[in-house]
Amino acid sequence: MTDFKQVKEKANEIRINSLKMVHAANSGHPGGSLSIADILASLYFGGHLKHNPKDPEDPNRDILVQSKGHASPALYSCLGLAGFFPIEDTMSFRQLGSRFQGHIDRMRVPGVEISTGSLGHGLSNSVGIALAAKLDNHPRKIFTILSDGELQEGSNWEAAMSAAQFKLSNLIAFVDRNRIQLDGWTEETMGLNPLPDKFKAFNWEVIEINGHNLEEIDQALTKAAALGTGEKPIMIIANTIKGKGVSFMEDQVAWHGVAPKDADLANALKELV
Amino acid sequence: MGQQLTMSETGWKLGDMAATREAYGKALKELGDKNPNVVVLDADLSGSTQTKHFAKAHPDRFFNMGIAEMNMIGTAAGLARMGKIPFASSFAMFAAGRAWEFVRNSVAHNHLNVKVCATHAGLTVGEDGASHQIIEDVAIMRVIPTMTVIVPADAIEAYQAIYAIAEYDGPVYARLGRAKVPVVFDENYRFEIGKAATLVEGGDVSLIACGVMVYRAIEAAKELEKQGIRAEVINMATIKPLDNAAIIKTASKTGRVITLEEHNVIGGLGDAVASVLAEEHNSNVIFKRMGIEDKFGQSGDGMALLDHYGLAVSDIVAEATRQCKA
């Protein structure tokens, strides 16, 4: 039985630490970090992603590729909470010499599987990792977290075609469907709807959920794991809210890539206690 | 791969005509036989790139990615992350050109062991014309940090280079050709990454060449000898890391250097050699980059195109003669 109380606490801690990191760095991406906090917490603290902070390359581990590399504060915070490194270290985020690069860097941070940042790479990388698992008859699951705006990169659709072609049912991807990208609403910038239909048409299993409802995330991941015996890759379209958890950041384009000032941080932390 | 893999006799003899892509296909199939971690990706061109031989022998480890080169390279990166040794092939225009940013970010920035083996490079792709004649690939690949760039001269060298890069742990770009070109090495030759090979010794002018231009450099040296000019021919198959010592040595000996490549004069072997001479060589060297003079190609026979764009043996002889009179 999933300990939802713990998952909720960890999600909250991911949010708090992410905002502190971006504040300390005075740059970074708060909005898209807050929108994936519940998904990351469910994977790492809800028992869905096998990981081993004592041996980040543990051969039995599952793999997470966070393709939206700009939401690095959320992943770094999650890995810190999971014990891969002292979470206090993340306060050096984006500073010269820090291992916590602006965009996710696997060479510097234990627990990071693939460096990302340039959008449209992670799903292809995940296809390769999933193919390797199939070749090795390895039972691991491969999780990918995509942003919605990222799907405007055509390479994702190349990757989506290939995942279906190779019947990669060990690949479970999320779209963080927060509907906002840097310049504004996705549907005004370059529309993605009907998004579930697009992936269905590409021969994926599609599960649509509220990406902030921990029970729904848990059920989707349990269902996705069961679908692993099938022949289709699995796409979980997680309807989310950019800036989730901080009232004045929610659904605000302005908080895509802007750091909170001192007062903003103080106000945000009051809501995230 | 841990241990030196034993190469077979290729059967090619000096002067035989063979394409470097044929050697690639042969070496790749053998590597597949010897190492289960070798996997191959292609983008609907396996019949052309010659990965078809591997595909036939090892269908479970061959992935046809369709006409989608970005995803091919990104997928290769994922396979490498899990310990596979992926060889990813397409025409050079697409493997290096279309997919450049995937080679840069998915592969090189991730420090992943992917071999991008691109065929049909340069003017000698021939009749397909300018859209397919990439003359920029060496430039855009060698500027990527940590990238190794190799341009084999003939089938023997290509065969050996493919074995060598399989043993090497890191990202590699290998530039291979469509056209059959004369074999210039014998089976006793041993390719090493980063090591130039002197094919003809001489003291008057240095011809530093790569790829198909190596054979033309040798022919030019023969012509020059008739005029009493002793040209030194250096095969510079590894463009990066460059064999700086070999460049300094021959330039010190002859004082005259001509670089020869089937590539834009901007950004290729010539520029790489020029940088070494400018930064590390003390004396004045007479220097000329011979390549494609910043122009697009056109349809035609591959070898005729080299002549048309100023890379005929007679052009090399004329430049060497001019330098020796200077």
Side-chain angles (χ1 to χ4, degrees):
Chain A
M1 185 63 198
T2 306
D3 183 351
F4 290 113
K5 185 166 174 287
Q6 180 187 243
V7 175
K8 190 177 179 185
E9 281 171 12
K10 296 294 183 187
N12 202 48
E13 288 179 56
I14 289 171
R15 289 192 167 94
I16 290 169
N17 199 67
S18 294
L19 290 179
K20 285 182 178 172
M21 287 171 70
V22 177
H23 172 261
N26 198 26
S27 74
H29 298 80
S33 295
L34 299 188
S35 61
I36 60 168
D38 296 308
I39 295 167
L40 284 171
S42 298
L43 287 169
Y44 280 84
F45 304 103
H48 292 287
L49 184 143
K50 285 196 204 100
H51 60 284
N52 181 0
K54 291 197 179 66
D55 178 11
E57 293 288 310
D58 189 328
N60 293 318
R61 75 197 190 281
D62 294 324
I63 305 281
L64 170 69
V65 176
Q66 186 178 309
S67 191
K68 44 177 293 182
H70 56 286
S72 53
L75 181 63
Y76 293 155
S77 299
C78 180
L79 293 174
L81 291 169
F84 284 89
F85 45 80
I87 193 160
E88 311 82 72
D89 292 2
T90 60
M91 290 304 130
S92 63
F93 182 49
R94 286 180 170 249
Q95 302 305 308
L96 182 63
S98 171
R99 56 176 164 165
F100 300 98
Q101 297 289 296
H103 291 82
I104 297 167
D105 189 335
R106 84 173 185 96
M107 301 307 291
R108 296 172 191 249
V109 181
V112 172
E113 301 285 1
I114 286 277
S115 305
T116 54
S118 172
L119 296 173
H121 286 246
L123 195 55
S124 293
N125 303 154
S126 302
V127 166
I129 294 168
L131 282 174
K134 293 265 182 191
L135 278 178
D136 295 339
N137 288 317
H138 194 296
R140 69 160 45 100
K141 294 190 280 289
I142 294 85
F143 298 97
T144 312
I145 300 178
L146 302 154
S147 82
D148 52 358
E150 167 172 27
L151 294 175
Q152 291 158 0
E153 291 282 6
S155 56
N156 286 297
W157 302 100
E158 297 182 2
M161 265 190 286
S162 66
Q165 177 78 14
F166 297 125
K167 301 180 166 55
L168 299 179
S169 56
N170 53 351
L171 173 57
I172 302 166
F174 285 88
V175 176
D176 173 26
R177 185 70 171 118
N178 62 34
R179 298 158 292 123
I180 289 176
Q181 57 191 110
L182 191 146
D183 267 350
W185 296 99
T186 57
E187 297 315 288
E188 290 174 11
T189 308
M190 184 53 65
L192 298 164
N193 285 334
L195 195 52
D197 292 346
K198 283 194 168 79
F199 281 103
K200 282 176 195 161
F202 275 67
N203 273 332
W204 285 58
E205 292 281 356
V206 176
I207 304 170
E208 196 172 1
I209 59 166
N210 173 345
H212 300 305
N213 181 315
L214 299 180
E215 283 85 359
E216 285 192 33
I217 299 172
D218 185 65
Q219 284 164 12
L221 285 167
T222 303
K223 183 179 176 190
L227 289 167
T229 55
E231 295 201 329
K232 290 183 178 184
I234 298 114
M235 179 61 69
I236 302 174
I237 296 182
N239 292 304
T240 56
I241 294 170
K242 197 140 184 170
K244 173 70 178 177
V246 178
S247 57
F248 58 89
M249 291 184 175
E250 290 189 357
D251 275 345
Q252 296 300 312
V253 171
W255 288 105
H256 169 84
V258 172
K261 304 291 178 211
D262 294 349
D264 299 325
L265 181 67
N267 288 331
L269 293 182
K270 279 180 209 159
E271 297 187 25
L272 292 167
V273 178
Chain B
M1 289 193 181
Q3 67 201 38
Q4 198 73 22
L5 291 170
T6 313
M7 290 180 283
S8 313
E9 290 280 313
T10 64
W12 284 305
K13 302 276 180 292
L14 282 175
D16 282 356
M17 296 295 284
T20 50
R21 64 178 166 134
E22 294 176 57
Y24 170 54
K26 178 177 168 58
L28 194 58
K29 188 259 170 198
E30 291 174 10
L31 286 167
D33 297 342
K34 292 168 184 175
N35 188 326
N37 281 327
V38 172
V39 298
V40 176
L41 304 91
D42 205 302
D44 188 43
L45 291 170
S46 66
S48 303
T49 62
Q50 303 295 303
T51 61
K52 64 181 178 185
H53 304 296
F54 181 99
K56 193 175 174 201
H58 309 287
D60 54 323
R61 286 186 272 142
F62 174 79
F63 304 106
N64 198 328
M65 305 305 292
I67 308 165
E69 296 79 13
M70 292 187 289
N71 186 47
M72 174 177 75
I73 300 295
T75 299
L79 284 156
R81 179 66 183 86
M82 303 319 287
K84 305 298 176 190
I85 304 170
F87 284 72
S89 287
S90 179
F91 289 179
M93 181 58 77
F94 315 123
R98 173 71 71 102
W100 183 85
E101 199 262 346
F102 278 69
V103 177
R104 197 272 188 188
N105 274 324
S106 264
V107 175
H109 182 239
N110 263 300
H111 293 239
L112 290 171
N113 188 25
V114 173
K115 317 303 173 187
V116 181
C117 294
T119 66
H120 295 63
L123 284 178
T124 53
V125 65
E127 291 79 358
D128 278 349
S131 64
H132 285 52
Q133 290 162 347
I134 191 164
I135 54 168
E136 303 93 344
D137 52 329
V138 171
I140 61 178
M141 284 292 131
R142 80 182 180 95
V143 292
I144 298 174
T146 72
M147 201 72 183
T148 292
V149 178
I150 295 170
V151 185
D154 72 353
I156 298 264
E157 183 169 56
Y159 175 82
Q160 296 192 13
I162 297 307
Y163 270 81
I165 66 176
E167 301 262 354
Y168 167 79
D169 184 13
V172 175
Y173 178 72
R175 185 190 212 217
L176 304 164
R178 166 182 178 263
K180 286 185 183 294
V181 294
V183 170
V184 296
F185 290 104
D186 65 32
E187 302 266 8
N188 296 320
Y189 172 67
R190 282 295 166 264
F191 169 83
E192 264 187 81
I193 295 171
K195 288 274 177 258
T198 304
L199 293 177
V200 180
E201 300 240 12
D204 296 326
V205 58
S206 304
L207 307 178
I208 303 179
C210 65
V212 310
M213 292 308 297
V214 173
Y215 175 74
R216 290 188 168 212
I218 295 168
E219 292 299 297
K222 288 179 189 164
E223 290 298 314
L224 287 164
E225 194 171 14
K226 292 175 193 164
Q227 302 175 26
I229 295 173
R230 289 161 43 255
E232 180 147 287
V233 178
I234 309 246
N235 172 50
M236 194 63 74
T238 311
I239 312 297
K240 184 184 173 188
L242 196 60
D243 191 342
N244 294 11
I247 295 166
I248 300 295
K249 187 178 168 195
T250 193
S252 301
K253 187 170 160 188
T254 65
R256 302 179 185 91
V257 173
I258 299 170
T259 58
L260 296 157
E261 61 192 315
E262 182 197 3
H263 188 276
N264 197 333
V265 287
I266 298 172
L269 171 67
D271 272 5
V273 171
S275 299
V276 173
L277 292 175
E279 289 183 350
E280 298 184 29
H281 196 268
N282 295 322
S283 63
N284 292 325
V285 172
I286 302 170
F287 179 72
K288 174 71 177 175
R289 296 170 305 169
M290 293 184 75
I292 294 130
E293 295 287 344
D294 204 22
K295 294 173 186 165
F296 289 114
Q298 59 182 303
S299 290
D301 171 75
M303 297 306 147
L305 282 165
L306 290 179
D307 295 347
H308 180 82
Y309 285 91
L311 292 169
V313 171
S314 58
D315 295 316
I316 305 168
V317 170
E319 174 60 24
T321 308
R322 186 192 67 78
Q323 285 196 5
C324 289
K325 285 178 182 162

